[in-house]
Amino acid sequence: MPSSKMGLFALLCLLVSGAGAAKVTLSPDNWGNPAGEECVSCHSKSSAGLTEQWRHSAHAKVGVNCLDCHQASTDDADAITHEGQTIATIVSPKDCGRCHAVEEQQQRGSVHAEAVAVIARRMPAMVTNLAGPAVEAAGCAQCHGSTVRVQANGELDPDTWPNSGIGRINPDRSRGSCSSCHGRHAFSKAQARKPEACVRCHSGPDSPDKEVFEASKHGMAFASHHDQMNLDAESWVAGKDYFAAPTCATCHMGAAGKLPATHDVGMRNVWNLNTPVSERQHLVVFADGGKREFPESMDAPKRGSKVPRLDGAEGDVKMVATPDRRRQAMSLVCRECHGKDFVEAFMRQFDGVVDLYNRKFGEPARAIMQALYSTGRLTPTPFDEPIEFAFWELWHDEGARARHGAAMMSPNHVWWEGMYVVARNFYGRFLPEVRAVAGDGADALIAKHVQDLPENEWLKHPERGSPLLGVGTARSAHE
Ligand code: HEC
Ligand code: HEC
Ligand code: HEC
Ligand code: HEC
Ligand code: HEC
Ligand code: HEC
Ligand code: HEC
Ligand code: HEC
């Protein structure tokens, strides 16, 4: 077998690990706790809607009741005594994992589980400086998750709960909340297969996946053929159980051909698209299933070596998925509905937009900002100077929109909502701000990082004129 095939094979094996086992880890004699009947009967009155949601769920059908999920042991940090039983309000991924070990393990190693860690360092700059703790609780935490605190009386601290943030740190230290995609108390898989499960968080200026998807041909096909998506099916393999359109879950989580489904949403992604400059990423998988990305510019760590994990502790490298392998995995999904050359050509167009953004805008803007900080032209405090907003929005808002647009087939977001706004910001706002703060040094800085790029050759040719006043008009005005 050629080595490229071997790599993919290993990746598929890794992804599929555990899938041969039974779908649910426990056997039925471990649930259906008779004491749970009382919960149902009283809650049918005290919270009838909630109880009806459960009654219509797959769990109720097989006899998994309130107590099977909400049971707790007295040494759990958030255990309370409730009507004679020890329960916890939060049913964490670890609790679900008693019965759904495969999904829990995949979710645990995913970027979603890092969503609180990823913002911890940015919190002060973003929330404390620009807003305040109330916004953290009602804003950031609703998507990213909070660190849930338990009060002395066992109740959950209202500054940190409720939310079903995707990386929430729970009282049992597990991370995430399965109800962020499987809304309670239905916990339906059909719901999670729809874009609606994702777009509550993945929408807006910096992660405009809702808007991008809706503006793509995939969104068009999904909207037109909703009824052919077979969303309630037991098995949901692209190309076999449905074919009309892909959803978010299809490309990032779903099974396709030999590629198994996964609860690790980042597995198939090559780039980090939400950074000032994008770089292709290796995915390192540790012996215990944990993961971490390393940029391709660093040598890929060797199997069996030790490298630092996100939290700083050493991890044993079990395998490395290179950017090319990750791209192969994503392309397998596409190829259920498209040809090989089509998919490769598409990926080339996508990578081309990311490269162009990097070279023409991301790298120059970052280099100029670094120079301004290191020469003391800017204070180290974030967001106290106008140029910091211009730079931030350049990569975080319009820059992200252009790159997400190219990744997910929305021409509108590549150009009008994306790169056009990037250029408007860069030439019309960022560079004038550089001139305002850099004083005498501005010309040299701009010449070095901007004017000398081949992409900016056009700046040197005022004689070419412009059609800004309308087609033909500018030319005749110059003539
Ligand atoms: C006799 C009626 C009754 C029984 C039996 C009962 N509950 Fe409750 N439960 C309530 C009422 C009423 C509330 C709302 C009271 C409140 O939150 O102050 C509540 C609140 C809760 C809460 C929310 C706690 C919170 O954080 O505020 C959970 C979770 C819960 N019940 C689960 C269960 C489970 C699981 C069982 C079975 C072991 C159960 N209940 C049995 C009446 C009952
Ligand atoms: C499959 C597991 C599961 C089952 C079965 C289950 N719950 Fe829950 N329940 C959860 C999860 C998950 C949450 C969300 C807690 C969080 O993350 O904040 C929750 C939250 C709650 C809450 C507090 C949140 C709210 O919306 O007020 C109550 C009350 C509650 N459950 C009661 C019940 C009752 C009563 C039953 C039985 C009729 C039941 N649960 C069955 C998993 C379950
Ligand atoms: C509507 C949901 C939502 C809210 C509210 C939200 N985020 Fe995010 N955030 C996301 C998503 C989704 C991503 C992933 C973007 C991607 O990779 O495409 C993200 C990514 C990030 C990142 C990493 C990359 C980047 O874009 O900078 C940081 C840091 C971050 N968020 C900080 C915050 C902070 C701090 C707040 C509150 C002030 C906040 N977020 C509010 C959904 C949200
Ligand atoms: C990012 C959204 C998301 C989160 C978070 C999530 N799931 Fe899922 N889940 C899905 C999707 C999408 C499917 C359907 C996958 C498919 O059929 O291809 C699914 C399917 C499932 C299934 C059905 C599997 C089968 O083969 O029938 C189970 C069980 C499940 N999830 C459990 C969990 C548990 C437990 C957690 C928390 C550890 C969790 N999920 C968190 C999106 C999510
Ligand atoms: C005590 C065992 C048990 C626990 C705890 C449990 N589940 Fe389940 N779950 C089951 C069983 C059994 C099924 C039905 C399996 C089947 O249909 O093959 C199921 C089915 C599911 C499905 C598929 C539903 C559908 O639409 O067909 C999802 C999603 C799911 N569970 C998520 C969760 C989540 C999230 C939690 C934690 C909040 C959880 N489960 C806790 C046993 C459990
Ligand atoms: C409750 C909010 C929330 C929901 C729901 C959610 N996500 Fe996310 N997602 C996030 C946040 C926050 C991040 C950034 C986390 C980080 O960088 O660690 C993220 C990151 C991602 C990434 C980026 C992975 C990478 O390589 O960096 C993908 C892909 C993704 N989510 C897909 C999905 C899909 C598909 C769904 C629905 C099935 C979904 N998400 C549902 C909040 C959410
Ligand atoms: C047709 C397949 C497809 C569909 C449908 C799709 N995506 Fe993507 N998505 C991609 C590809 C391809 C990338 C770029 C992967 C890479 O970096 O190589 C991507 C990138 C992303 C990223 C950026 C991760 C990063 O690196 O920062 C997020 C977040 C994301 N998608 C979420 C979603 C959500 C949410 C939906 C639904 C609204 C969705 N996607 C629909 C294929 C898809
Ligand atoms: C479940 C089937 C399915 C999957 C999986 C799928 N697509 Fe599509 N794709 C479609 C359909 C249907 C259309 C619309 C075709 C049309 O309307 O002419 C489409 C359209 C497109 C278009 C627009 C082409 C045009 O002619 O305008 C591109 C580009 C594309 N897909 C790329 C991809 C990529 C890349 C992937 C994988 C990351 C992917 N697709 C995954 C079904 C799928």
Side-chain angles (χ1 to χ4, degrees):
M1 203 185 271
S3 71
S4 70
K5 280 248 179 68
M6 282 279 287
L8 185 62
F9 183 70
L11 181 65
L12 293 179
C13 289
L14 172 92
L15 288 166
V16 87
S17 66
K23 262 176 121 177
V24 177
T25 332
L26 284 182
S27 63
D29 25 319
N30 288 297
W31 69 73
N33 188 331
E37 303 290 329
E38 282 177 45
C39 326
V40 176
S41 109
C42 187
H43 273 271
S44 296
K45 288 169 249 135
S46 68
S47 48
L50 184 162
T51 309
E52 281 308 311
Q53 290 158 5
W54 168 77
R55 234 189 272 284
H56 285 83
S57 73
H59 288 126
K61 289 200 182 79
V62 294
V64 174
N65 66 37
C66 322
L67 191 54
D68 294 320
C69 282
H70 284 279
Q71 68 179 45
S73 78
T74 42
D75 49 8
D76 288 346
D78 56 341
I80 50 173
T81 305
H82 178 63
E83 306 295 336
Q85 298 291 334
T86 305
I87 68 160
T89 299
I90 289 186
V91 179
S92 75
K94 202 168 151 196
D95 298 324
C96 309
R98 279 200 314 133
C99 298
H100 301 296
V102 174
E103 289 81 8
E104 188 275 329
Q105 194 225 331
Q106 291 170 340
Q107 182 271 162
R108 181 160 22 106
S110 75
V111 283
H112 270 160
E114 303 294 343
V116 173
V118 94
I119 63 173
R121 237 165 33 88
R122 293 264 195 85
M123 271 306 184
M126 285 301 297
V127 198
T128 323
N129 299 10
L130 299 183
V135 169
E136 184 181 335
C140 325
Q142 298 297 323
C143 297
H144 286 265
S146 58
T147 301
V148 180
R149 288 191 300 260
V150 184
Q151 295 172 329
N153 61 2
E155 282 172 15
L156 303 171
D157 177 350
D159 288 342
T160 63
W161 184 86
N163 67 73
S164 49
I166 203 84
R168 189 181 66 187
I169 300 178
N170 299 301
D172 63 8
R173 309 311 293 166
S174 68
R175 288 174 303 175
S177 112
C178 307
S179 70
S180 37
C181 298
H182 300 287
R184 62 185 182 271
H185 273 83
F187 297 107
S188 131
K189 55 180 188 263
Q191 183 192 51
R193 289 167 178 164
K194 294 185 186 164
E196 283 77 3
C198 319
V199 301
R200 166 171 82 88
C201 302
H202 288 275
S203 51
D206 64 322
S207 190
D209 309 304
K210 171 185 196 286
E211 296 84 347
V212 167
F213 178 72
E214 284 170 357
S216 74
K217 263 198 161 177
H218 292 137
M220 171 187 109
F222 177 72
S224 323
H225 307 298
H226 210 207
D227 50 338
Q228 295 171 24
M229 290 298 292
N230 213 4
L231 292 161
D232 290 310
E234 198 47 48
S235 153
W236 201 63
V237 181
K240 176 165 119 3
D241 302 307
Y242 67 102
F243 46 81
T247 70
C248 319
T250 304
C251 295
H252 293 288
M253 303 179 72
K258 274 182 279 179
L259 187 75
T262 177
H263 270 62
D264 179 350
V265 291
M267 195 80 183
R268 303 169 186 170
N269 287 356
V270 170
W271 295 96
N272 51 4
L273 297 180
N274 285 53
T275 41
V277 174
S278 287
E279 205 177 335
R280 287 155 52 92
Q281 304 284 321
H282 293 298
L283 183 67
V284 169
V285 184
F286 297 111
D288 66 355
K291 301 194 183 84
R292 178 177 177 183
E293 290 191 319
F294 288 93
E296 194 179 34
S297 56
M298 287 173 53
D299 285 338
K302 296 255 171 321
R303 231 187 130 132
S305 67
K306 287 187 193 299
V307 292
R309 311 169 70 115
L310 268 182
D311 61 9
E314 295 250 289
D316 296 312
V317 178
K318 180 175 156 201
M319 76 163 283
V320 180
T322 62
D324 288 345
R325 300 271 181 270
R326 303 174 83 181
R327 174 58 55 81
Q328 265 178 296
M330 178 67 87
S331 301
L332 283 179
V333 180
C334 317
R335 287 179 55 191
E336 288 299 317
C337 302
H338 297 290
K340 181 166 182 278
D341 291 346
F342 175 96
V343 174
E344 278 173 9
F346 167 82
M347 292 296 181
R348 195 183 143 100
Q349 292 181 3
F350 159 42
D351 293 344
V353 171
V354 180
D355 283 333
L356 179 82
Y357 162 83
N358 278 349
R359 269 200 325 275
K360 192 165 177 171
F361 303 107
E363 285 165 5
R366 186 176 64 178
I368 290 173
M369 289 300 281
Q370 273 163 348
L372 295 175
Y373 283 119
S374 66
T375 53
R377 298 280 183 177
L378 293 176
T379 68
T381 311
F383 299 120
D384 65 338
E385 282 141 327
I387 193 173
E388 294 177 313
F389 286 93
F391 174 65
W392 165 258
E393 285 165 21
L394 184 80
W395 68 264
H396 183 265
D397 291 9
E398 41 269 24
R401 279 199 299 274
R403 286 172 282 173
H404 283 234
M408 291 174 276
M409 308 95 196
S410 165
N412 187 34
H413 290 82
V414 173
W415 176 237
W416 290 120
E417 304 275 349
M419 214 62 105
Y420 167 71
V421 189
V422 170
R424 185 179 71 192
N425 178 339
F426 188 78
Y427 298 111
R429 192 174 158 207
F430 180 75
L431 291 183
E433 287 290 346
V434 174
R435 292 190 196 282
V437 294
D440 298 345
D443 284 344
L445 208 52
I446 292 175
K448 178 174 171 203
H449 295 292
V450 180
Q451 280 153 349
D452 288 352
L453 290 182
E455 287 82 6
N456 284 319
E457 183 63 23
W458 63 278
L459 283 171
K460 297 176 183 157
H461 295 283
E463 79 283 1
R464 284 182 193 160
S466 102
L468 270 188
L469 303 179
V471 179
T473 343
R475 239 193 110 96
S476 34
H478 278 288
E479 273 160 10

